[in-house]
């Protein structure tokens, strides 16, 4: 197959995939650029792995098109797509040495020995596996096995690398180390990575853009900072990050800003188009966007909201502390405040005020409102 060069490495055009009565992928379209680290983020059953399998050619879509580097590969076999793939369970051959695991795709493609040796040397150096090529997978650590799987996915120098939750079976510290390494590999190679995960920390650490999936659709596709700070739907607001939330009626609306009542206080919030006075909304504000101040802190600036409460508990986490604050209506919010963590000035039982920027909140209409 002759590959056409395009700045769009991957294009999905109205892709549909069903399993019986379940529409696992529901008319999805997406373009991923040639140097992008892109994450498909969502809970189990959201359709993200099915979508990855359709891109790889392991599942055939019911309708729609998959284009890689401008070439329609919708009906092309997996080995003819110019795509590499790394799986959650590594899928290394236990009876083969590291070198043979890595070069396996090249053998399948009929690449000659001289070129295989050159590419093996390149992959061993890139993934820091020099000196391990004659070991078996059972003789490697989890992190080394993961790098072997990555080397195998990259040795064909694919136009696109797909990664299906490749860090899920690693312990926390190794996972964090591999997050940094994966990002470095992607930048060094300059090829797009499409990374499936249910772990929002992984997506936010590595990705340039994120598609948040639920029920076979994209809830939001945007740069990671926008997904985190400006969620497009109530699902995204609740799924990405850690938020406090309340359901409330809109008391008034002025210039796109609404006023809600929360624990006896008036809270201002940006409102999406079409939400009017009297509507019921879900209001979200991330825990780290709130700050603890003394109970005598006074009235905040117009740009901030303000609540009073009493600290029920303090959970110290090193750089930050989580404050469990009971409000006047007995509901509880969590405030993750880095400024309080080191000084430990606020203790359980203290009366406090909580402040946060009006623009830090997000509201979405509830169903039927």
């Amino acid at each position: 197959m002759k590959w056409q060069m395009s700045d769009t490495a991957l294009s999905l055009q109205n892709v549909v995939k069903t399993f019986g009565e379940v529409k696992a992928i529901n008319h999805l379209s997406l373009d991923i650029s040639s140097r992008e680290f892109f994450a498909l983020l969502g809970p189990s059953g959201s359709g993200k792995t099915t979508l990855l399998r359709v891109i790889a050619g392991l599942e055939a879509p019911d309708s729609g098109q998959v284009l890689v580097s401008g070439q329609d590969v919708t009906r092309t076999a997996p080995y003819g797509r110019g795509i590499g793939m790394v799986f959650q369970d590594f899928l290394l051959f236990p009876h083969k040495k590291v070198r043979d695991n890595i070069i396996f795709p090249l053998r399948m493609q009929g690449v000659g020995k001289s070129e295989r040796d050159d590419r093996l040397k390149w992959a061993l150096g890139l993934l820091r596996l020099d000196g391990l090529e004659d070991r078996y997978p059972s003789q490697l650590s989890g992190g080394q096995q993961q790098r072997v799987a990555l080397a195998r996915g990259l040795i064909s120098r694919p136009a696109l690398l797909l990664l299906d939750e490749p860090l899920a079976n690693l312990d926390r510290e190794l996972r964090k180390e591999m997050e940094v390494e994966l990002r470095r590999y992607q930048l060094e190679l300059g090829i797009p990575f499409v990374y499936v995960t249910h772990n929002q920390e992984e997506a936010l650490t590595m990705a340039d853009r994120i598609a948040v999936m639920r029920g076979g659709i994209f809830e939001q596709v945007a740069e990671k900072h926008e997904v985190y700070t400006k969620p497009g739907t109530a699902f995204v607001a609740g799924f990405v990050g850690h938020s406090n939330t309340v359901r409330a009626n809109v008391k008034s609306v002025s210039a796109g800003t609404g006023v809600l009542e929360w624990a006896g206080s008036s809270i201002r919030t940006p409102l999406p188009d079409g939400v009017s006075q009297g509507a019921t909304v879900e209001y979200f504000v991330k825990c780290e966007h709130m700050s603890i101040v003394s109970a005598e802190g006074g009235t905040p600036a117009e740009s901030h909201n303000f609540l009073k409460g009493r600290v029920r508990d303090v959970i110290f986490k090193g750089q930050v502390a989580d404050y469990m604050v009971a409000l006047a209506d007995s509901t509880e919010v969590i405030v993750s405040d880095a400024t309080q963590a080191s000084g430990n000035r606020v203790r359980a039982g203290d009366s406090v005020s909580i402040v946060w920027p009006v623009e830090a909140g997000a509201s979405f209409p509830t169903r039927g409102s």
Side-chain angles (χ1 to χ4, degrees):
M1 178 179 295
K2 185 176 179 180
W3 294 98
Q4 300 174 4
M5 295 305 294
S6 170
D7 188 55
T8 301
L10 173 68
S11 182
L12 306 178
Q13 299 179 3
N14 204 30
V15 174
V16 176
K17 178 65 181 177
T18 58
F19 296 101
E21 298 296 318
V22 178
K23 191 164 285 188
I25 304 173
N26 193 353
H27 296 280
L28 294 185
S29 296
L30 175 70
D31 287 333
I32 294 175
S33 72
S34 59
R35 299 182 66 87
E36 187 171 16
F37 198 127
F38 192 92
L40 296 171
L41 173 66
S44 297
S46 61
K48 56 189 187 296
T49 293
T50 298
L51 182 57
L52 202 75
R53 290 176 62 82
V54 167
I55 296 168
L58 301 175
E59 298 281 356
D62 300 336
S63 60
Q65 289 182 297
V66 178
L67 285 78
V68 175
S69 300
Q71 181 74 42
D72 187 349
V73 299
T74 310
R75 304 302 169 189
T76 302
Y79 60 81
R81 296 191 174 203
I83 291 175
M85 191 159 184
V86 180
F87 298 91
Q88 176 178 332
D89 295 322
F90 308 156
L91 301 182
L92 302 178
F93 298 110
H95 60 286
K96 291 181 181 290
K97 294 180 178 181
V98 164
R99 67 168 67 249
D100 296 312
N101 268 282
I102 294 174
I103 66 173
F104 179 77
L106 301 183
R107 288 185 183 276
M108 295 296 292
Q109 295 166 16
V111 175
K113 185 179 184 306
S114 177
E115 186 174 352
R116 290 202 309 265
D117 289 344
D118 287 344
R119 291 202 195 182
L120 176 64
K121 182 178 179 180
W122 168 80
L124 291 170
L126 175 70
L127 278 300
R128 294 188 291 126
L129 292 167
D130 292 301
L132 302 179
E133 55 266 41
D134 290 319
R135 294 189 187 182
Y136 290 94
S138 61
Q139 298 173 308
L140 304 177
S141 68
Q144 289 168 336
Q145 290 182 44
Q146 180 62 82
R147 287 199 288 271
V148 172
L150 280 168
R152 185 179 59 191
L154 291 169
I155 197 165
S156 296
R157 297 178 183 171
L160 174 70
L161 184 68
L162 308 179
L163 304 103
D164 188 7
E165 305 212 46
L167 308 185
N169 293 329
L170 304 181
D171 62 51
R172 177 178 171 79
E173 289 306 312
L174 183 54
R175 191 166 65 244
K176 291 177 73 67
E177 177 184 329
M178 287 302 300
E179 287 172 8
V180 176
E181 288 198 17
L182 278 172
R183 178 65 177 172
R184 178 173 64 84
Y185 299 146
Q186 192 270 332
L187 291 172
E188 285 184 7
L189 292 167
I191 65 171
F193 283 18
V194 180
Y195 189 99
V196 161
T197 183
H198 66 275
N199 186 318
Q200 58 178 281
E201 183 178 333
E202 287 182 4
L204 292 168
T205 298
M206 293 184 284
D208 299 306
R209 279 195 304 153
I210 297 173
V212 182
M213 293 189 67
R214 181 177 68 151
I217 66 169
F218 292 144
E219 290 272 339
Q220 185 175 8
V221 181
E223 291 185 3
K224 60 185 176 183
H225 185 266
E226 182 176 347
V227 169
Y228 192 80
T229 60
K230 296 180 180 179
T233 68
F235 175 77
V236 176
F239 184 72
V240 179
H242 301 284
S243 294
N244 296 297
T245 182
V246 65
R247 180 173 294 198
N249 291 325
V250 180
K251 295 167 59 179
S252 64
V253 180
S254 176
T257 298
V259 177
L260 317 175
E261 184 173 326
W262 187 5
S265 295
S266 292
I267 301 300
R268 286 163 295 145
T269 174
L271 288 177
D273 293 340
V275 177
S276 57
Q277 182 176 344
T280 303
V281 298
E282 282 187 277
Y283 175 75
F284 297 84
V285 57
K286 286 189 166 49
C287 302
E288 70 272 20
H289 290 161
M290 290 178 148
S291 297
I292 295 280
V293 298
S294 67
E296 295 78 28
T299 303
E302 280 292 309
S303 60
H304 284 67
N305 285 315
F306 181 81
L307 285 174
K308 287 184 176 293
R310 185 176 297 276
V311 177
R312 184 185 63 79
D313 197 8
V314 181
I315 300 175
F316 182 70
K317 294 184 174 181
Q319 292 183 335
V320 300
D322 283 350
Y323 295 83
M324 315 299 173
V325 181
L327 304 178
D329 62 357
S330 298
T331 61
E332 188 172 277
V333 298
I334 300 174
V335 181
S336 297
D337 194 339
T339 62
Q340 293 287 340
S342 58
N344 198 27
R345 297 187 295 273
V346 176
R347 305 180 188 281
D350 289 353
S351 294
V352 295
S353 293
I354 305 167
V355 298
W356 69 97
V358 170
E359 292 299 317
S363 293
F364 303 92
T366 58
R367 292 181 180 179
S369 66

